[in-house]
Amino acid sequence: MIEPGEGERKATRNEASGFVGGPLIQAGHIGNLVQHFPVPPPSEPPRQVPPAPRGFVNRTRELAALDGFLDDRDSPLVVVVSGLGGVGKTAISRRWAHHVSSRFADGQLYADLGAYRHGGGVEVGDVLGGFLRSLGVHEEWIPADLAERAALFRSRTADANLLVLVDDAQHAAEVVPLLPPSPGSAVVVTSHRQLNQLVVGGARTIPLAPLATAESLLLLSDMIGEARIAAEPEAAAELARLCGGLPIALRVAGARLVQRSRWPLSRLVDELTDDRRRLDRLAAEGEVAAVFDAAYRGLPPQSARLYRLLGSLPLTTFSAAVMEAVVGTDVEAALEALLEASLLEELDVDYYGLHDLVRLHAARCAEREEPADSRRAALRAVVSWYLRAVSAADVKILGDRLRVAPVQDWDEAPFATPGDALDWLEAERGNVLALLRAAAEAGWQEQIWPSAEALWALFQQRKHFADWVEISTLGAQAARVLGHRAAEARMDNQLARAYIELADHESAARVLAEALAAAEAAGDSRLVGMVQESYGQDALARGDFEAAEEWFARAQQVYADSGRRRGVGLQSYHLGQTRARAGRHAESAQDFEHAMSIMTELGDELSQAKIAIELGAVYRRLGRPAEAVALVERGLTVMRGRRMVAKQARAWEILADLAADSGDRPRELACLTSALDLYVASGNQTGADAVRTRMA
């Protein structure tokens, strides 16, 4: 810190009066000026609801009912829109959401629970995590526990004027944690079930029946023109009946007629009424599967094969690159034909999906027409593609880290930033899990554990604990089948770290014992040190400082014996944290100083900053305030550049402590204000309340 000269101090008149909104800098002399600004919350409210389908028609009665519910309420509004799959629940909900968007000043949140449903229940905690991030809560302040996430969501939305659209719910329990408590909020839930538990709790209902014939004809007319409908009214009415009033089926039929502009409607009707070409009746959906049969038969051979193979895969979404991996050739022409036939939905740029009914139809076509070897080869190609992709994402996010699996060659466009890579892993998480399950069933163990290892960054950053546990378990099982003891140690350790964060210490101890045995059998000292560090983390989480210290010291010795300087430095950092929490500040300072020297030697800027902040806190305890201030400010500068909010707030509170020690009340309040701004921006209510109490 640079102090002003004596003469300057006497000559300077530095006053501020009245209300000051924002940071205020008062100084008699300025040498080097470093300004610290907190991370701002999102500048715009979330607007997450996807657009409604083009050409939306009908449903005027249901839309009016939704408007009426919104106008006539004195408590949070919950509406359940229920009906058959493909009946248009999503379309009407999205349409209405955009119609009333101006009435919700705090924005709109959207969740497609089908995308979170991995072979059973929905990970509601993942949905809440996404909502909290969208509302400005920083990742570091999102709790791991579902109940805590739900409580934080309620706190963040207690006074919000917010619309929440929850798509494809199967159970009321999936929805309840997502309900904001504010009277100005509204929640629309779509489901093929009645969700009676929500209704008992006061939810309104919109049962969505299939379209009547007149409404179906209006939709068809919008697609193919009134003239064709008027020319064949009986055929048009029969076509509407065969489509069962489901908008998805009507759109497929309409697209077929758009493609064949010279066809009379009766020709399509004849195709749909041919019982020999019908699929078995789909569950509760009527006989509309024949519509998809007719569209499928009109596809070019290359498009038809792509369609079949996509249906054979356990994926919900597909990138163009994945499709090319499936067929081994360029897919542009085949893709366009599928889009034109409304058998494929464009979700984003170069990103596509199959409607549930269409996917069932495609799978049936694959079983009927595609050889088993061909389906298996397609699955194997996609599993391999995803292994290369997740490996590339892992390297982009974490750089040079301890890996057992070799880094895969990646021939796609590289990820631009680590954030892009992490976001891609997040978006593809459901697909990766489904593929790893399929790979396990197929016995492709050599593909499973490297993919699981490459997902470490996603699990560490986004805390999807259910997937973390399942994928790490699949990886460990695959490694055991292969007899790959190093991979087994890696996977068991990864699984144990999930259990530690979940406070399941019994499971963590069991799996860590297996990991240590595998690491020792593999004869790899790096893996032995890795497992010993995890033992230390488990002990530290349990508050057993003596055991934590012992494990970190053992790991440090292993890394020292193998010449791994970074490992030695990390264990010194962990030892410093352990001894600081135990009140042994002099020893803690030595640990941090040792860690700092190693990380400086290695050029690890982030680790140096973390160490500097904690070493500054220890120096304060040891009566070395000037050194403490310099270290904490050094660490704070780095953390600001990396936008690590928790570390910034930690640094500001330590600086406030140092100011209080010296009796500098204005500086203490300024530092606390900076910490408070960070806590508020990141949604850490507990930290914000603690700082407010101290400031008062």
Side-chain angles (χ1 to χ4, degrees):
M1 297 179 62
I2 300 176
E3 296 294 332
E6 194 64 28
E8 293 173 285
R9 211 180 344 249
K10 291 178 180 178
T12 300
R13 183 173 182 82
N14 198 339
E15 296 180 349
S17 62
F19 174 79
V20 178
L24 173 66
I25 300 175
Q26 290 182 271
H29 173 81
I30 297 177
N32 294 324
L33 175 62
V34 179
Q35 301 182 60
H36 306 286
F37 296 100
V39 177
S43 58
E44 297 290 339
R47 301 289 180 187
Q48 298 181 345
V49 177
R54 292 176 55 190
F56 181 90
V57 296
N58 311 309
R59 304 301 190 188
T60 55
R61 180 172 56 85
E62 290 84 359
L63 289 170
L66 285 166
D67 286 339
F69 292 156
L70 189 60
D71 293 332
D72 182 22
R73 58 175 177 145
D74 54 7
S75 61
L77 173 65
V78 180
V79 181
V80 177
V81 180
S82 60
L84 299 176
V87 79
K89 303 181 294 295
T90 297
I92 187 175
S93 300
R94 293 181 183 179
R95 174 77 171 212
W96 184 76
H98 288 288
H99 173 66
V100 298
S101 61
S102 62
R103 301 181 63 173
F104 296 92
D106 295 316
Q108 302 170 330
L109 298 175
Y110 174 78
D112 178 3
L113 298 191
Y116 290 87
R117 190 172 290 115
H118 304 322
V122 169
E123 283 294 319
V124 182
D126 292 347
V127 183
L128 283 169
F131 280 4
L132 291 169
R133 282 187 284 272
S134 299
L135 294 172
V137 180
H138 191 273
E139 188 68 45
E140 296 181 53
W141 301 122
I142 297 178
D145 181 73
L146 170 61
E148 293 179 2
R149 287 189 177 192
L152 180 56
F153 177 72
R154 292 192 296 271
S155 297
R156 292 287 290 180
T157 59
D159 299 311
N161 186 248
L162 189 70
L163 174 64
V164 181
L165 176 51
V166 181
D167 218 349
D168 195 19
Q170 289 189 355
H171 308 284
E174 297 173 346
V175 179
V176 171
L178 310 178
L179 302 179
S182 59
S185 66
V187 180
V188 177
V189 184
T190 72
S191 177
H192 66 275
R193 299 182 178 181
Q194 298 295 317
L195 302 184
N196 288 329
Q197 289 181 326
L198 290 180
V199 177
V200 170
R204 307 292 188 93
T205 61
I206 297 284
L208 207 59
L211 297 174
T213 300
E215 295 171 328
S216 297
L217 292 176
L218 183 59
L219 190 154
L220 284 171
S221 176
D222 184 71
M223 295 185 71
I224 67 174
E226 295 180 1
R228 294 178 76 179
I229 299 292
E232 299 179 84
E234 293 182 1
E238 180 63 8
L239 180 58
R241 186 191 70 79
L242 290 169
C243 289
L246 295 185
I248 179 64
L250 290 162
R251 290 184 181 280
V252 172
R256 181 75 169 144
L257 292 169
V258 169
Q259 288 178 316
R260 299 292 187 266
S261 60
R262 297 183 181 275
W263 276 18
L265 274 60
S266 57
R267 177 167 176 174
L268 181 56
V269 169
D270 289 341
E271 288 190 6
L272 297 182
T273 53
D274 184 353
D275 291 337
R276 294 171 300 176
R277 295 184 176 181
R278 290 185 188 276
L279 293 174
D280 294 337
R281 186 186 297 259
L282 295 176
E285 303 296 347
E287 299 179 345
V288 299
V291 174
F292 306 126
D293 251 350
Y296 169 67
R297 286 195 301 274
L299 293 173
Q302 185 183 18
S303 300
R305 182 169 185 266
L306 175 61
Y307 178 70
R308 293 193 300 271
L309 291 176
L310 292 181
S312 72
L313 298 172
L315 304 179
T316 57
T317 57
F318 311 89
S319 66
V322 167
M323 294 184 195
E324 291 182 354
V326 169
V327 297
T329 61
D330 182 79
V331 295
E332 184 176 356
L335 182 59
E336 286 299 321
L338 290 175
L339 289 171
E340 289 176 5
S342 294
L343 290 174
L344 196 66
E345 180 183 5
E346 187 169 14
L347 305 175
D348 205 341
V349 178
D350 289 332
Y351 225 73
Y352 308 90
L354 293 173
H355 183 276
D356 286 345
L357 299 181
V358 177
R359 186 167 60 250
L360 289 173
H361 177 265
R364 182 66 61 86
C365 292
E367 292 173 4
R368 184 177 60 199
E369 303 176 36
E370 197 69 29
D373 288 347
S374 178
R375 300 198 302 269
R376 184 178 175 87
L379 177 61
R380 183 68 181 244
V382 173
V383 170
S384 298
W385 187 93
Y386 270 94
L387 170 56
R388 297 193 300 273
V390 298
S391 177
D394 170 38
V395 171
K396 188 66 178 181
I397 297 166
L398 296 178
D400 184 19
R401 70 175 179 103
L402 172 60
R403 294 181 179 87
V404 175
V407 174
Q408 300 285 318
D409 292 331
W410 178 243
D411 53 4
E412 304 290 335
F415 297 104
T417 67
D420 290 340
L422 188 60
D423 288 344
W424 182 85
L425 287 176
E426 175 75 31
E428 293 284 356
R429 179 169 55 92
N431 281 341
V432 172
L433 176 57
L435 286 170
L436 291 181
R437 288 171 175 166
E441 185 175 346
W444 300 331
Q445 315 299 345
E446 70 280 3
Q447 305 270 20
I448 297 172
W449 73 263
S451 299
E453 182 186 35
L455 294 170
W456 173 249
L458 173 66
F459 297 147
Q460 278 287 86
Q461 295 294 324
R462 300 294 169 88
K463 311 299 183 185
H464 300 300
F465 289 109
D467 289 357
W468 187 345
V469 169
E470 181 177 355
I471 288 176
S472 299
T473 300
L474 287 173
Q477 292 170 345
R480 273 188 274 277
V481 170
L482 294 170
H484 196 321
R485 300 311 300 274
E488 184 181 342
R490 183 66 164 162
M491 290 293 92
D492 280 336
N493 185 77
Q494 188 164 297
L495 176 59
R497 293 296 286 267
Y499 286 139
I500 291 169
E501 293 207 35
L502 290 168
D504 185 353
H505 299 292
E506 181 178 350
S507 296
R510 170 179 53 80
V511 178
L512 282 174
E514 297 172 354
L516 185 58
E520 291 172 342
D524 191 330
S525 61
R526 302 174 307 160
L527 299 176
V528 172
M530 171 193 73
V531 179
Q532 290 174 337
E533 178 184 326
S534 293
Y535 267 113
Q537 295 290 354
D538 183 58
L540 188 60
R542 291 184 283 105
D544 188 344
F545 302 138
E546 183 177 352
E549 182 177 342
E550 180 181 348
W551 280 113
F552 290 138
R554 291 172 64 179
Q556 185 177 53
Q557 187 60 53
V558 168
Y559 287 125
D561 292 342
S562 61
R564 296 186 62 83
R565 295 286 289 160
R566 189 172 188 277
V568 172
L570 285 175
Q571 303 319 306
S572 290
Y573 175 70
H574 295 321
L575 284 167
Q577 289 181 306
T578 303
R579 288 165 177 162
R581 286 182 57 183
R584 296 156 56 191
H585 300 296
E587 295 173 79
S588 174
Q590 293 177 354
D591 293 323
F592 285 134
E593 288 165 353
H594 186 213
M596 180 67 81
S597 67
I598 293 175
M599 296 307 178
T600 301
E601 171 191 327
L602 298 176
D604 188 334
E605 181 189 57
L606 178 59
S607 292
Q608 291 176 57
K610 289 161 57 177
I611 295 165
I613 292 171
E614 298 306 323
L615 181 57
V618 171
Y619 277 179
R620 170 183 171 255
R621 294 287 187 178
L622 295 174
R624 300 164 64 176
E627 295 169 275
V629 169
L631 281 167
V632 177
E633 289 184 343
R634 169 186 166 187
L636 177 60
T637 300
V638 174
M639 294 305 174
R640 281 191 63 252
R642 292 176 178 263
R643 301 178 68 85
M644 298 187 70
V645 176
K647 294 297 184 183
Q648 290 181 67
R650 167 76 170 148
W652 280 119
E653 290 197 80
I654 296 171
L655 290 173
D657 292 335
L658 287 159
D661 292 342
S662 65
D664 189 344
R665 179 63 174 170
R667 177 164 172 77
E668 178 189 6
L669 289 174
C671 292
L672 289 174
T673 298
S674 295
L676 178 61
D677 289 342
L678 288 162
Y679 283 132
V680 170
S682 63
N684 186 342
Q685 192 62 42
T686 301
D689 288 344
V691 173
R692 288 192 184 101
T693 299
R694 177 173 172 178
M695 293 175 72

